[in-house]
Structure formats: C-alpha cells, structure tokens
Amino acid sequence: MLDQSFYTKTDEILSKYPAQERSLIPIIHEVQETYNYVPLELLPYIAKHIGITETKAYSVASFYERFSFEPKGKYIIRVCDGTACHVRQSLPVLERLRSELGLSAQKHTTDDMLFTVETVSCLGACSLAPALMVNDHVHPAMTPDKADQLIAALREEAAKS
C-alpha cells in the first residue's frame, strides 16, 4: 500500500493535464519520471480522475515497454544487445555489470535501489557499439573494465548526493 505522499504528488501531476483520456500517457509518463516506475496502485486513481476504466489504464500502461510496474534504481543501466552491440561484445559487459552488482537475469535491481540493469534491443547508437545508457546518457565503446569504472563513478556520485 502506498503512503499518502504518492497520491499527493499524483494530484500535482494530474492538475497539469485535462481530465480526458488523451492525457493518460503523459500522466503515466510523468508518474514514472517521478518514481522510476508506475505504482500499480495509482492506475485506478488516475483512471477515475480522467474518466476511464481501470482496465483501459492498465492496458495502455502495460502495452508500452518503456513503462515499468517494478521499482527501479536511481541509475537505470540499459545494455544494448542489438546486432551491432552483440557482435562487438555487449554480453561480457552485461555479465560484468550483473556480477559487480549482484544481479541476474531474474533480479534486475540492487537491494539498495541504486542500480537497475536491463537489456534492450537497440539504443540507436550502433556506430558507438557496444553501448549502454545510464538514465538518459549514452556510454559508447563499453568494455567490462569500463563498466566497472562506470559503476565506481556512479557509486561515488550517489554518495555525494
């Protein structure tokens, strides 16, 4: 169960948009930007506000891969495994990240909620392969050793904030 602060913040988000079905995707997007995921408990609340069914809200939110119902870490690391990245050895980078962070194909987020590691089919950065993205920043020509350095730098950044 979510605490009241989630609903208060969601009310702030809802106030920015007309209470219409066409507002659903921008609202869900902003909720995810706020929390790094879309809490399932908020979908009925959002649906009621804009006058649609809970089923409609869930079907839209679950259709788009970019929306997640699972809490994610502060740093969302997306490792590209598209053809260009795969042939240039993105898999060893992914394996190193998982090893360093204690993650697996089944467990994507660290217990401290600092890191989430996901694979994606394409980042649109084929000439930079193998590439990964941390939140919205692309890191080109990634290697397992560079991945270790990146994790260390992110941990240091997190400790300062």
Side-chain angles (χ1 to χ4, degrees):
M1 183 161 179
L2 298 176
D3 73 36
Q4 184 57 41
S5 66
F6 280 80
Y7 295 95
T8 302
K9 182 62 181 172
T10 301
D11 284 338
E12 290 174 26
I13 293 168
L14 291 170
S15 72
K16 298 177 188 179
Y17 300 93
Q20 299 173 351
E21 183 175 345
R22 67 184 171 96
S23 299
L24 180 61
I25 291 175
I27 290 167
I28 293 172
H29 178 75
E30 193 166 339
V31 166
Q32 179 155 301
E33 288 288 313
T34 302
Y35 300 112
N36 271 349
Y37 79 112
V38 178
L40 273 174
E41 298 92 332
L42 289 179
L43 286 179
Y45 188 74
I46 293 166
K48 183 178 180 182
H49 177 80
I50 63 175
I52 63 172
T53 65
E54 293 177 28
T55 303
K56 174 77 172 183
Y58 179 79
S59 68
V60 169
S62 62
F63 176 79
Y64 294 99
E65 235 180 78
R66 186 76 175 182
F67 295 135
S68 173
F69 299 126
E70 294 180 26
K72 295 190 179 199
K74 177 178 181 174
Y75 300 107
I76 301 169
I77 302 170
R78 293 181 174 91
V79 179
C80 181
D81 196 37
T83 303
C85 288
H86 186 82
V87 299
R88 292 188 182 152
Q89 302 299 309
S90 63
L91 194 54
V93 173
L94 175 63
E95 290 169 350
R96 180 72 67 88
L97 287 167
R98 286 178 174 163
S99 174
E100 175 68 24
L101 297 171
L103 301 175
S104 67
Q106 294 75 37
K107 182 180 181 188
H108 304 278
T109 301
T110 57
D111 292 337
D112 63 3
M113 298 302 292
L114 198 55
F115 297 100
T116 296
V117 176
E118 304 173 334
T119 57
V120 294
S121 299
C122 185
L123 290 175
C126 298
S127 65
L128 305 174
L132 64 76
M133 181 178 272
V134 178
N135 297 343
D136 294 323
H137 186 260
V138 175
H139 295 266
M142 192 53 57
T143 65
D145 289 342
K146 285 182 180 179
D148 283 343
Q149 293 168 5
L150 177 60
I151 293 301
L154 293 172
R155 282 185 170 136
E156 187 176 313
E157 177 183 304
K160 291 178 182 176
S161 60

